[in-house]
Amino acid sequence: MKYHLDNFVKLMNDSKKNRYLLVDKLRPLPDYNLISVDNILEFFFDKQADKNAKKERIVPILRPDLSHDTDHCPHLILIADQNESINPELLALSLKEASSELFMDKRYICAWLISDLPLTQLAEELVTIGENLAKEALTINSRFFPYYEPFRMQLLHESNLIYQQWLPRQLKGIAQYCYLNLSRKIKIIQKPEPNEILGFSQISDRTVSYQQYAKQIFLCFKTLIENKQIKTPDDRQLIMVADKWLDSIRTGLADLEDQFAFVINSLFYNIDLMNQAQTQQAVFNAIENPGTLKQNLSVLRKSQWGQVK
C-alpha cells in the first residue's frame, strides 16, 4: 500500500488543478474516525483559517432522489486547490479507509478527482453525470445512476473496454477520476486527449446487464474471495464472475438462489455445469422447480459427482 500511496501523493501533487475527495454519507462513520467530513474540516486544514471558509470546501452532491436530505447525499471535498500541496496524511487515511471498506455493501470513500472546475460547479456537473448515465445504464433508479460507488465504477470501467473512451467522455469536467478497485489497486480514468475525442463510442449491452445485476455480482465475488476460490489474474476476476452470472440467466434460471448456486458452484469447483450430463439435468430441474439447484448439486457432490472433489 505504501507504494500506491507514494505514487498517489506524487500524482496529486504534480497536478496544477483542483483536487477533490468524493465521499458517500449513506455509510455513516463513527465520530472518532478522522476521515469523517467534520473531522477533515477540524484536523486537516489550516487551524487558523476561518471556520466558514473551511466549511466552504465541502458541498453535497444533490442527487435528485436524495436532495431532500443533504446529510445522506454524497459530498465533495476540496482537499487542495490549484495553488496548494496535498496533505499526505489526509490522502493516506482516505486510502486506508477505502481499503478497509472494500467488501462492505456501502462504502464511504468513493473517489479522488482532479479537475479545473471550482467546487460548486463540479458538484453540479457530478449530478448531471449521474442523470445522464441513468438514461444509458438502464438500472432500477431511472433518475440518477450512482456511478461513483466504487464497485459500480469498476464494473463500468472494466466491462466496456471495447469502447474505452465511452466512460471518460461521460465524466465531463474531470481530468482524472481515481478509485480503489477490489484488488486494492488505484485505477485512474483519464480525460481523453483532444485528438481522441472523435470516433464512435457507446456503452455495451454487456455493461448494461452487469449494472442491472451489480448487487448479485458483488455478493458472488465477495463469497468467492472469502473462500479463496478465485485464482485468475486480478484484472480478470470481477468480469469472470459477472460473465458467469449472465450465463446463469441465459440458461433459463429465474430464481435468485438458483442463479447464485450456479455461479458459486461453477467457479468454486471450476466446472462447466452445462457440459456435464448430471449437473446439466440439475439445472434443467431447477428451471422447472425453482429454488432446488443448490440442494440438487449438493446431492451430486456427495455421490461422487464428476470431476468435483
Side-chain angles (χ1 to χ4, degrees):
M1 187 61 74
K2 184 179 185 303
Y3 170 80
H4 286 305
L5 177 62
D6 291 345
N7 283 274
F8 200 27
V9 171
K10 184 177 187 304
L11 169 72
M12 288 291 191
N13 275 331
D14 283 350
S15 174
K16 301 305 178 185
K17 304 178 187 295
N18 296 319
R19 277 117 328 140
Y20 297 96
L21 175 64
L22 180 59
V23 301
D24 188 355
K25 292 186 73 175
L26 275 178
R27 180 184 173 241
L29 293 184
D31 292 340
Y32 59 79
N33 193 317
L34 289 177
I35 205 67
S36 69
V37 169
D38 290 340
N39 285 335
I40 286 177
L41 284 176
E42 180 70 23
F43 296 105
F44 294 105
F45 295 128
D46 185 358
K47 288 182 170 51
Q48 306 302 316
D50 179 75
K51 283 189 176 181
N52 289 329
K54 288 197 286 187
K55 286 182 178 179
E56 289 175 357
R57 299 180 75 115
I58 300 177
V59 297
I61 310 298
L62 298 177
R63 50 180 286 183
D65 52 343
L66 290 176
S67 58
H68 62 282
D69 185 0
T70 57
D71 281 345
H72 290 94
C73 284
H75 278 62
L76 187 64
I77 306 168
L78 175 63
I79 54 177
D81 67 22
Q82 297 170 342
N83 300 310
E84 294 175 323
S85 294
I86 206 83
N87 184 321
E89 185 180 358
L90 173 57
L91 207 57
L93 280 174
S94 63
L95 195 57
K96 181 179 179 182
E97 179 66 30
S99 181
S100 73
E101 298 173 345
L102 281 184
F103 294 103
M104 293 182 181
D105 293 337
K106 181 64 66 177
R107 289 156 71 175
Y108 172 76
I109 301 293
C110 299
W112 301 264
L113 313 181
I114 297 175
S115 174
D116 284 319
L117 297 180
L119 179 63
T120 54
Q121 188 177 345
L122 180 57
E124 293 169 357
E125 189 62 54
L126 291 173
V127 174
T128 302
I129 290 170
E131 292 174 332
N132 290 339
L133 283 172
K135 298 172 185 176
E136 296 204 46
L138 304 175
T139 50
I140 294 173
N141 187 343
S142 61
R143 298 179 64 198
F144 184 86
F145 180 77
Y147 61 91
Y148 53 82
E149 294 177 0
F151 181 75
R152 285 192 180 276
M153 179 56 80
Q154 186 174 348
L155 272 179
L156 279 176
H157 194 194
E158 293 185 2
S159 65
N160 208 57
L161 295 181
I162 190 171
Y163 302 114
Q164 292 191 30
Q165 291 307 316
W166 176 83
L167 183 55
R169 290 179 188 178
Q170 309 311 306
L171 304 177
K172 291 182 173 61
I174 301 173
Q176 291 172 308
Y177 186 109
C178 313
Y179 68 94
L180 192 69
N181 74 1
L182 291 175
S183 301
R184 290 186 168 82
K185 294 179 180 177
I186 297 169
K187 306 299 286 188
I188 301 173
I189 302 171
Q190 185 82 33
K191 178 182 178 181
E193 297 295 331
N195 62 349
E196 296 177 326
I197 295 296
L198 297 177
F200 179 73
S201 187
Q202 66 178 31
I203 186 171
S204 68
D205 291 341
R206 184 175 82 154
T207 299
V208 171
S209 295
Y210 289 164
Q211 292 298 327
Q212 291 172 335
Y213 301 107
K215 290 183 179 180
Q216 296 92 323
I217 292 169
F218 173 75
L219 181 58
C220 286
F221 187 90
K222 179 180 178 181
T223 300
L224 289 162
I225 287 290
E226 288 174 344
N227 287 279
K228 300 181 180 178
Q229 289 300 316
I230 297 186
K231 299 180 173 63
T232 56
D234 287 351
D235 59 353
R236 291 175 46 210
Q237 290 179 350
L238 178 57
I239 300 306
M240 178 185 69
V241 175
D243 280 339
K244 190 58 68 174
W245 186 271
L246 294 189
D247 286 346
S248 76
I249 295 170
R250 294 189 191 103
T251 64
L253 291 170
D255 181 82
L256 188 61
E257 290 188 5
D258 288 337
Q259 293 164 349
F260 187 78
F262 183 96
V263 177
I264 296 300
N265 280 275
S266 297
L267 298 177
F268 196 97
Y269 296 105
N270 191 28
I271 185 171
D272 183 352
L273 296 179
M274 302 307 290
N275 197 37
Q276 305 278 338
Q278 289 179 305
T279 55
Q280 183 186 63
Q281 189 58 51
V283 173
F284 290 153
N285 289 342
I287 293 172
E288 295 295 324
N289 300 285
T292 61
L293 184 58
K294 179 179 179 180
Q295 179 60 30
N296 289 342
L297 292 179
S298 177
V299 170
L300 286 175
R301 286 198 304 273
K302 291 175 182 178
S303 61
Q304 309 300 315
W305 160 26
Q307 287 90 355
V308 178
K309 299 177 182 178

